[in-house]
């Protein structure tokens, strides 16, 4: 009985891995259950044992990605450091992860080039997870007195957008900033504003 349960879990994991590989190589739109079954070397019926639709399978993969992002953020968090130093480190690590993860890169391209709704929904879900983590930390910083009372959700959104703008968008038109320069400028502006 335990052996059968282990095989079931292994097959499901194998299918999720194969689907993630397919989505990363071909994108959401071009991935089919047939393609996933070939990559996983299982019958298509086996996939439907675990997942009713491609959307459900994609959702399971997005769940894993969100968990990976959260784990990375928590590993990077150092409660002995001030809020803004922590935030700059966490945002750097999350953006590095996002830029290097094949599936996220492919989904970003698909959203930009085709506008596939499910790919867009997946990217929004990842961004929402990052904003949610930052929001928690903003709330924690407010409780500790490191931040004045602000709207945590709005502040988290602005913090992420500003960091992305400095780290990625600025370098498209100007001399790229180093990690230290991004962190320094981000912390200065967030702490004291521009006025």
């Amino acid at each position: 009985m335990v052996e059968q349960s282990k095989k079931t879990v292994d097959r499901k994991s194998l299918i999720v891995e194969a689907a993630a590989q397919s989505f990363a190589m071909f994108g959401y739109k071009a991935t089919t259950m047939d393609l996933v079954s070939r990559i996983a070397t299982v019958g298509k019926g086996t996939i439907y044992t675990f997942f009713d639709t491609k959307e459900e399978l994609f959702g399971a993969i997005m769940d894993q990605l969100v968990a990976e992002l959260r784990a990375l953020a928590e590993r990077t968090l150092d409660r002995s450091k001030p809020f803004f130093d922590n935030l700059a480190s966490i945002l750097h690590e999350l953006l590095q992860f996002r830029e290097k993860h094949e599936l996220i890169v492919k989904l970003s391209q698909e959203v930009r080039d085709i506008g596939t709704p499910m790919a867009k929904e997946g990217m929004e879900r990842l961004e929402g997870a990052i904003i949610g983590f930052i929001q928690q930390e903003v709330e924690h910083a407010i409780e500790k007195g490191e931040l004045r009372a602000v709207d945590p959700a709005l502040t988290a959104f602005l913090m992420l957008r500003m960091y992305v703008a400095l780290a990625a968008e600025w370098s498209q038109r100007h001399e790229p900033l180093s990690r230290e320069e991004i962190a320094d400028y981000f912390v200065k502006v967030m702490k004291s504003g521009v006025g």
Side-chain angles (χ1 to χ4, degrees):
M1 183 84 109
V2 173
E3 189 63 33
Q4 181 62 32
S5 177
K6 185 173 174 21
K7 280 185 180 180
T8 300
V9 171
D10 289 346
R11 277 222 170 112
K12 186 175 183 179
S13 296
L14 179 71
I15 291 164
V16 170
E17 267 181 50
Q21 187 179 1
S22 180
F23 288 129
M25 290 190 309
F26 306 110
Y28 179 84
K29 190 170 184 134
T31 293
T32 63
M33 293 301 227
D34 284 327
L35 187 54
V36 173
S37 73
R38 283 196 301 265
I39 293 170
T41 63
V42 300
K44 199 161 106 175
T46 304
I47 296 173
Y48 287 112
T49 302
F50 301 104
F51 303 99
D52 292 333
T53 63
K54 179 169 92 168
E55 291 81 10
E56 190 179 315
L57 180 54
F58 184 68
I61 292 163
M62 297 313 293
D63 289 345
Q64 284 184 345
L65 268 176
V66 166
E68 284 180 57
L69 283 172
R70 185 161 197 72
L72 175 61
E74 288 172 356
R75 279 194 312 272
T76 306
L77 184 63
D78 180 350
R79 291 279 179 217
S80 68
K81 288 183 178 179
F83 168 75
F84 285 108
D85 292 341
N86 255 326
L87 185 62
S89 295
I90 289 167
L91 287 171
H92 173 78
E93 292 303 319
L94 292 176
L95 291 181
Q96 290 288 80
F97 177 86
R98 203 171 85 169
E99 288 173 13
K100 290 185 168 107
H101 196 285
E102 291 175 351
L103 174 57
I104 298 172
V105 169
K106 187 64 173 179
L107 290 176
S108 295
Q109 290 170 345
E110 187 169 344
V111 168
R112 184 187 65 233
D113 298 345
I114 305 170
T116 306
M118 282 301 292
K120 186 176 183 203
E121 188 178 305
M123 292 304 295
E124 288 170 354
R125 188 166 168 207
L126 292 176
E127 183 175 292
I130 294 170
I131 291 171
F133 187 85
I134 297 168
Q135 181 178 338
Q136 269 183 293
E137 292 309 308
V138 166
E139 290 166 356
H140 185 72
I142 292 168
E143 288 170 14
K144 284 176 53 181
E146 288 185 89
L147 281 181
R148 62 184 169 80
V150 292
D151 179 321
L154 179 57
T155 302
F157 173 81
L158 291 172
M159 287 175 162
L160 176 61
R161 289 289 189 222
M162 184 175 132
Y163 196 90
V164 168
L166 286 171
E169 295 166 16
W170 175 263
S171 63
Q172 291 173 357
R173 294 184 186 92
H174 304 87
E175 183 72 29
L177 300 171
S178 70
R179 176 184 176 174
E180 293 76 22
E181 289 171 321
I182 293 167
D184 184 54
Y185 194 76
F186 176 78
V187 169
K188 281 180 185 172
V189 170
M190 292 311 296
K191 268 187 174 175
S192 40
V194 291

